[in-house]
Amino acid sequence: PTMGLLDALSGRVTRSARFREYVDAAFAEVDHNANGSLDRAELHLAVVLFFDKLNAKVKKRAVPPVKAELMALFDEVDVDKSGELSNAEFTVYMERLCAQTTSGLTVSLLKSFIAVPATAIALGVGIKKVAPALHEKIKEAKGLGSATISFCASQIVNKVPAFAAVP
C-alpha cells in the first residue's frame, strides 16, 4: 500500500503541466551547445540544478543520487544509445528521478512526523510502566527529559530497516 501511495504522489507530480515546464526550462538552461540534446556533463548539471531548486522549496534536504546512479539511469533512458538525451529522453529521466526523490522525501517525512513521535510516546509510556522513578526524573527535567526521549526515539527509528537508508 505504501509504494502505491508513493507511486501516486510521484505520478501526480510528473504528469502536471508545471512539471513539464520545469523539465523544458531545465533542458534549455543546461543545453549549453544548443544542439537539442544533453550529454553526460550537461545532464549532471541539470540534476544539480534540480536538487538546488527542490531544496529551496522544501525544508527537508533532498539528497541527489551518487553520480554512478545518475549515469546508470542515463544509460537506461538513452534508448537510441546516442550517448546524449533528447528532450523526450530527458523528460523520462526526470520522471524517474522525481519518483525516486518523491519516495525518499515521503519516507523521510513519515519518519520525522509519524514514526519518531509515535516511538517517543511509546517509550514514555513504557518507561512510566516499567520504571516509574525514572519517569518522575524525566518529568522533573522538563524539556531536557522529553528531548532525551525524542532523541532515543529517533535513534530507534533509524535502526528500523525501512527507515535506516533514509537521511
Side-chain angles (χ1 to χ4, degrees):
T2 305
M3 288 314 288
L5 174 63
L6 298 178
D7 291 342
L9 288 171
S10 66
R12 182 171 176 222
V13 169
T14 59
R15 285 190 302 268
S16 71
R18 179 174 284 169
F19 178 81
R20 184 60 199 203
E21 288 171 22
Y22 286 150
V23 168
D24 289 343
F27 187 91
E29 187 176 356
V30 298
D31 184 16
H32 292 140
N33 57 8
N35 68 348
S37 62
L38 303 183
D39 61 26
R40 290 176 185 273
E42 291 170 324
L43 175 82
H44 191 249
L45 179 59
V47 172
V48 169
L49 291 172
F50 169 77
F51 277 88
D52 281 347
K53 289 177 183 178
L54 176 64
N55 285 322
K57 293 194 180 294
V58 297
K59 301 298 179 211
K60 207 68 171 154
R61 183 93 178 127
V63 180
V66 296
K67 190 171 184 176
E69 293 171 347
L70 296 175
M71 294 305 123
L73 183 56
F74 181 101
D75 292 336
E76 285 178 33
V77 300
D78 182 17
V79 292
D80 62 4
K81 303 301 179 205
S82 64
E84 296 184 328
L85 298 185
S86 65
N87 195 313
E89 291 170 326
F90 179 66
T91 300
V92 171
Y93 185 97
M94 293 306 289
E95 286 171 351
R96 291 190 188 173
L97 186 64
C98 186
Q100 293 171 359
T101 303
T102 302
S103 303
L105 285 173
T106 303
V107 171
S108 183
L109 290 171
L110 287 171
K111 179 171 87 171
S112 297
F113 294 111
I114 297 173
V116 171
T119 304
I121 290 168
L123 228 104
V125 169
I127 290 171
K128 185 176 183 179
K129 286 184 177 184
V130 174
L134 177 59
H135 177 70
E136 288 305 314
K137 292 283 186 194
I138 290 170
K139 280 176 43 182
E140 290 171 15
K142 299 192 192 292
L144 182 59
S146 61
T148 302
I149 287 181
S150 293
F151 172 76
C152 292
S154 71
Q155 295 303 304
I156 291 167
V157 168
N158 284 330
K159 297 296 181 196
V160 174
F163 293 117
V166 180

